[in-house]
Amino acid sequence: MTLAYRDNTAAHTTAEGSLTERLRTRSVRVSVVGQGYVGLPLAVELGRVGFSISGLDTSPDRIAALNAGHSHTPDVDGHELAALREADRYTATADFATLSHSDVVIICVPTPLRKSKDPDISYVLAAATETAAHFRPGQLVILESTTYPGTTEELLLPLFEARGAVVGENFFLAFSPERIDPGNRNFRLRDIPKVVGGVTPACSRLAALLYRQIVDKVVEVSSPKVAELAKLYENVFRNVNIALANEFALMCRRLDVNSREVIEAAATKPFGFLPFYPGPGIGGHCIPIDPGYLAWKMRLNGYEARFIHLADDINRAMPVYVVSLVTEELNKRRRAINGARILVLGVAYKRGIGDTRESPALEVLADLRRKGAEISYADPYVPSLVIDGTVFEAIELTDARLTTADCVLILTDHPEFDYRRVVARASLVVDTRNATWGIPSPAGRVVVL
Ligand SMILES: NC(=O)c1ccc[n+]([C@@H]2O[C@H](COP(=O)([O-])OP(=O)(O)OC[C@H]3O[C@@H](n4cnc5c(N)ncnc54)[C@H](O)[C@@H]3O)[C@@H](O)[C@H]2O)c1
């Protein structure tokens, strides 16, 4: 017993000690699995500080683009990517055998919901299975994908243990949620504290040491489950508060008050209030999806997550409400939705980026089209869009187009749009983002959510 304990301690000290030393000198080889909105900025940040990075992905097109120095996210500059390639510090590849030469593997693959709203963990499972298949003693594996509490220890750990890994001794496993907000210039990867939860204290120490090289603050928590839940709580908080803002906007409309004015007034309170704003619904790969991971896990534990369900109901009803608002306003002008020319401004799920995943615009446009509207859209970030199998190309926003539209519908408040010009030219503006806030307009021309 005593001997085994000593042996384990020695192995532990050796593996952890060796990795610690090599992390400090940045001489470890790191593989980042998944080169999307999350994985690519992480890979580039690690490359920037001197690590040697393999960016693994299953998409041949993405790999080819990245190796040619083309970035798909506003958070990574193509020139920097190309420079890292030239310096031999970054390579995108589909060759998972690379994993067997890696000291650190970070998994950043998608975690969508199935149609049934259950978690689709297949990408994480596939990436972790590949990683485990290439396991070699001394590796540190970190999961960054947002997921249900328990994934790291219940799903990932056994895959590695089956390959002879002994966690905390010859293998280190942690969960560290990614919290970036693509396109946000005020808070970039380095500025956002990184929460880290290792399966053992050694796992936490090593993962924290890695992240300290690229972010200003690392917050160590006691387990992967705490880190998994922290990420979910952040996004549930956001989802619930957006739902509250959306419902509040509906109430304000009934009272003939601009919700934005009320929210801005409330936000002058210097404590105890955080402003959230209404919109046409929620989108992106996080807010509409992540709460579903927690709700699913809780259902397995015999508990219905009521706030999550209510927020989801309210937020998912918003696109339908937007269409009814457009219909109502056209009706006031003796115009049917069938045949109306509707010019949509912005189809991305939020301002300043081209991500249309889960964007409420997709549902709004599809619904308008089904009702017979002639739709067109402008979005400086989204050159084309497929709605119910039909490809739409973004149009240029000209005065003539603004003037001839029966309704200009603002769905995404991109900063590139000239809202004064929109208000001046259009006969009817339905503004779901309050982007025209403060711009004088003739009575009835601008309708806000
Ligand atoms: N997008 C965000 O703003 C954001 C922010 C924080 C956290 N997250 C979370 O990070 C995770 C990744 O999200 P994302 O936005 O980067 O997704 P993404 O769709 O932009 O990128 C995922 C990438 O993984 C690749 N991929 C899929 N399966 C793979 C596999 N088995 N092996 C290797 N590569 C594979 C895809 O080809 C794609 O390039 C998700 O869990 C998401 O919830 C996303």
Side-chain angles (χ1 to χ4, degrees):
M1 234 2 227
T2 317
L3 245 181
Y5 174 76
R6 272 196 201 130
D7 280 348
N8 282 347
T9 308
H12 162 106
T13 311
T14 310
E16 186 189 353
S18 142
L19 198 51
T20 300
E21 191 48 37
R22 299 182 60 225
L23 281 168
R24 284 209 178 109
T25 53
R26 297 179 184 174
S27 56
V28 293
R29 283 154 302 187
V30 182
S31 284
V32 179
V33 185
Q35 289 294 280
Y37 283 97
V38 163
L40 181 60
L42 176 68
V44 167
E45 202 62 45
L46 287 163
R48 186 182 290 159
V49 300
F51 288 102
S52 181
I53 311 296
S54 297
L56 277 132
D57 207 286
T58 43
S59 158
D61 291 349
R62 181 148 287 180
I63 290 165
L66 294 174
N67 283 334
H70 300 307
S71 165
H72 57 77
T73 159
D75 297 343
V76 169
D77 180 65
H79 293 112
E80 182 168 20
L81 192 59
L84 285 176
R85 282 273 300 141
E86 241 161 65
D88 223 12
R89 289 216 301 277
Y90 176 83
T91 312
T93 176
D95 182 5
F96 283 83
T98 312
L99 294 172
S100 55
H101 309 295
S102 302
D103 305 288
V104 177
V105 181
I106 309 176
I107 299 173
C108 310
V109 294
T111 43
L113 288 176
R114 297 187 188 282
K115 280 211 171 100
S116 59
K117 292 199 180 173
D118 286 351
D120 178 357
I121 205 75
S122 62
Y123 300 91
V124 169
L125 192 57
T129 303
E130 282 284 3
T131 309
H134 295 93
F135 167 71
R136 91 181 153 75
Q139 276 180 332
L140 165 66
V141 174
I142 304 170
L143 178 62
E144 282 213 3
S145 301
T146 309
T147 183
Y148 61 82
T151 307
T152 309
E153 282 167 293
E154 293 162 14
L155 192 78
L156 265 63
L157 183 56
L159 297 174
F160 292 90
E161 286 176 333
R163 300 272 169 176
V166 182
V167 72
E169 292 180 14
N170 68 359
F171 167 64
F172 305 96
L173 179 63
F175 181 80
S176 180
E178 186 47 75
R179 305 159 106 185
I180 57 161
D181 178 17
N184 189 329
R185 305 255 167 243
N186 298 327
F187 297 99
R188 290 165 173 268
L189 200 142
R190 178 167 279 284
D191 312 311
I192 307 168
K194 202 89 174 80
V195 173
V196 169
V199 175
T200 70
C203 301
S204 283
R205 281 194 293 273
L206 286 167
L209 177 59
L210 171 77
Y211 287 119
R212 269 193 207 103
Q213 328 273 324
I214 55 164
V215 301
D216 292 338
K217 187 172 180 190
V218 174
V219 181
E220 283 182 59
V221 295
S222 62
S223 68
K225 204 180 267 181
V226 171
E228 288 160 345
L229 276 167
K231 171 71 189 182
L232 293 176
Y233 188 49
E234 285 167 21
N235 283 357
V236 168
F237 175 86
R238 217 172 145 66
N239 193 21
V240 165
N241 278 287
I242 292 170
L244 180 61
N246 281 335
E247 188 173 51
F248 188 71
L250 304 190
M251 293 192 276
C252 284
R253 266 193 65 73
R254 284 178 185 246
L255 298 172
D256 206 16
V257 169
N258 184 308
S259 62
R260 173 79 178 260
E261 190 176 359
V262 181
I263 295 168
E264 297 301 355
T268 58
K269 185 178 177 184
F271 55 90
F273 183 83
L274 196 55
F276 282 82
Y277 297 94
I282 45 172
H285 185 31
C286 296
I287 307 300
I289 290 168
D290 301 351
Y293 272 68
L294 182 56
W296 173 82
K297 183 71 177 181
M298 293 324 300
R299 201 171 304 124
L300 293 186
N301 281 269
Y303 186 87
E304 284 301 328
R306 290 165 293 168
F307 262 114
I308 293 178
H309 296 312
L310 179 59
D312 196 52
D313 284 350
I314 293 173
N315 288 333
R316 288 191 195 274
M318 291 310 289
V320 178
Y321 178 75
V322 168
V323 172
S324 73
L325 191 58
V326 170
T327 309
E328 189 187 308
E329 290 303 321
L330 285 170
N331 189 46
K332 281 185 196 161
R333 290 159 177 79
R334 298 174 177 275
R335 190 84 172 92
I337 191 95
N338 194 347
R341 283 160 304 200
I342 298 178
L343 170 53
V344 172
L345 301 194
V347 292
Y349 84 88
K350 67 171 183 176
R351 76 199 307 260
I353 61 163
D355 192 350
T356 58
R357 288 177 299 177
E358 310 281 326
S359 174
L362 304 176
E363 197 178 331
V364 172
L365 266 71
D367 198 6
L368 288 171
R369 193 160 170 265
R370 277 194 295 270
K371 289 183 163 59
E374 281 177 31
I375 52 170
S376 58
Y377 84 92
D379 191 314
Y381 298 88
V382 185
S384 67
L385 192 68
V386 180
I387 301 288
D388 284 345
T390 303
V391 180
F392 287 81
E393 307 283 346
I395 58 159
E396 201 191 324
L397 199 56
T398 61
D399 282 355
R401 284 181 170 132
L402 285 168
T403 314
T404 52
D406 294 306
C407 173
V408 175
L409 172 59
I410 301 172
L411 291 182
T412 316
D413 50 343
H414 286 310
E416 287 80 1
F417 294 132
D418 178 350
Y419 296 104
R420 282 187 184 276
R421 181 163 74 114
V422 171
V423 171
R425 300 279 178 272
S427 56
L428 167 64
V429 180
V430 174
D431 180 2
T432 67
R433 298 282 186 177
N434 239 315
T436 56
W437 166 252
I439 300 175
S441 64
R445 182 179 295 183
V446 178
V447 177
V448 295
L449 190 69

